[in-house]
Amino acid sequence: MNICNFEIAFIVGIVMACGGFMKKISIIGSGGSGKSTLAIELGRKLDIKVFHLNKIWWKDDKEHIKEEEFIEIQKDIIKNNDSFIFDGNYRNTLDLRISASDTIIFLDMPTTFNMSRSLKKIITTQNLKEEEKKDPDHTDKLNVKYIRRLANYNREERPEIIKKLKKIKLEKRVVILDNEKKIELFLESIDKYSNH
């Protein structure tokens, strides 16, 4: 069984319990859930290159690339890399990334957590100089559309993701983390596995 029961998996090491080494990873979840932070940390621990989808999608604060180009870039990454970490939700291309990944990590965090973390990030980013703004997320501006999406994510987008994960749970490694402690323990399990 490849879907991870976190409480059991942590005892023996979640990576080993999930059935082996992770090389092709997709991290998904709401804005503000901590995808980019986890992706960067996981990339460092596993020595795997991270691809932040927001950086690829957005040209600047207002303009983004075309959908066709976005798909082709992801296909090229998948084709030309033996390992990768994708950071980002992007429902229209999610199936492409899931199909190519051996591990899908879903940050299933509460709406209040996602909202407060996003607000904190926005405030922090606004206080930085332009050259210091290294956050890969395109969430530096607080707007009604973004707030509405965060507020409605668990009701409108989460059910579709859960449905997809249930379908692939026997063929892919599915890790669902729903609080900060579990994320912390998950990263600790990576260290334990890497030291063997």
Side-chain angles (χ1 to χ4, degrees):
M1 183 176 180
N2 282 347
I3 194 165
C4 296
N5 181 316
F6 189 88
E7 286 72 23
I8 296 174
F10 173 66
I11 298 174
V12 295
I14 193 168
V15 182
M16 297 177 71
C18 284
F21 196 69
M22 300 181 292
K23 293 182 65 177
K24 300 179 178 181
I25 305 166
S26 288
I27 301 177
I28 59 178
S30 169
S33 61
K35 297 185 300 296
S36 297
T37 302
L38 178 60
I40 292 169
E41 186 67 12
L42 204 54
R44 183 185 65 78
K45 288 177 180 292
L46 298 177
D47 193 25
I48 297 177
K49 186 173 182 179
V50 177
F51 296 92
H52 301 286
L53 295 179
N54 280 338
K55 273 190 168 182
I56 297 171
W57 176 249
W58 291 101
K59 292 181 177 181
D60 52 43
D61 286 347
K62 296 181 180 179
E63 187 179 3
H64 59 73
I65 63 177
K66 293 182 179 179
E67 183 79 19
E68 295 79 9
E69 183 181 359
F70 190 49
I71 293 172
E72 288 306 313
I73 290 173
Q74 291 177 72
K75 285 182 177 179
D76 285 342
I77 292 171
I78 292 166
K79 180 180 178 181
N80 297 315
N81 291 272
D82 292 328
S83 61
F84 54 75
I85 296 176
F86 277 117
D87 153 38
N89 224 48
Y90 289 90
R91 285 185 294 174
N92 290 345
T93 58
L94 181 56
D95 287 341
L96 170 65
R97 298 190 305 279
I98 285 179
S99 178
S101 299
D102 56 53
T103 305
I104 296 87
I105 301 173
F106 177 35
L107 296 186
D108 192 19
M109 308 298 280
T111 300
T112 51
F113 176 88
N114 299 334
M115 294 279 281
S116 62
R117 196 172 181 278
S118 293
L119 180 59
K120 181 180 179 181
K121 182 189 297 182
I122 292 165
I123 293 172
T124 302
T125 303
Q126 288 176 342
N127 291 331
L128 295 176
K129 296 178 181 178
E130 196 62 37
E131 62 270 18
E132 296 175 322
K133 295 182 179 180
K134 298 179 180 179
D135 193 326
D137 277 338
H138 185 80
T139 53
D140 57 335
K141 291 186 177 179
L142 190 62
N143 57 68
V144 175
K145 183 178 179 180
Y146 181 66
I147 294 174
R148 185 181 296 119
R149 185 173 182 185
L150 288 180
N152 295 332
Y153 180 88
N154 281 344
R155 184 175 68 254
E156 296 180 356
E157 298 186 44
R158 182 181 180 276
E160 180 184 346
I161 289 176
I162 293 296
K163 186 177 180 180
K164 287 180 184 293
L165 297 183
K166 285 182 177 179
K167 284 183 178 180
I168 63 167
K169 67 183 181 180
L170 296 179
E171 56 186 272
K172 304 282 184 178
R173 302 183 190 102
V174 177
V175 181
I176 300 177
L177 305 172
D178 57 14
N179 62 56
E180 291 181 276
K181 184 61 178 177
K182 288 183 179 180
I183 294 173
E184 179 185 334
L185 295 180
F186 172 71
L187 289 172
E188 286 178 6
S189 74
I190 299 294
D191 287 332
K192 289 180 181 180
Y193 179 75
S194 299
N195 289 334
H196 279 68

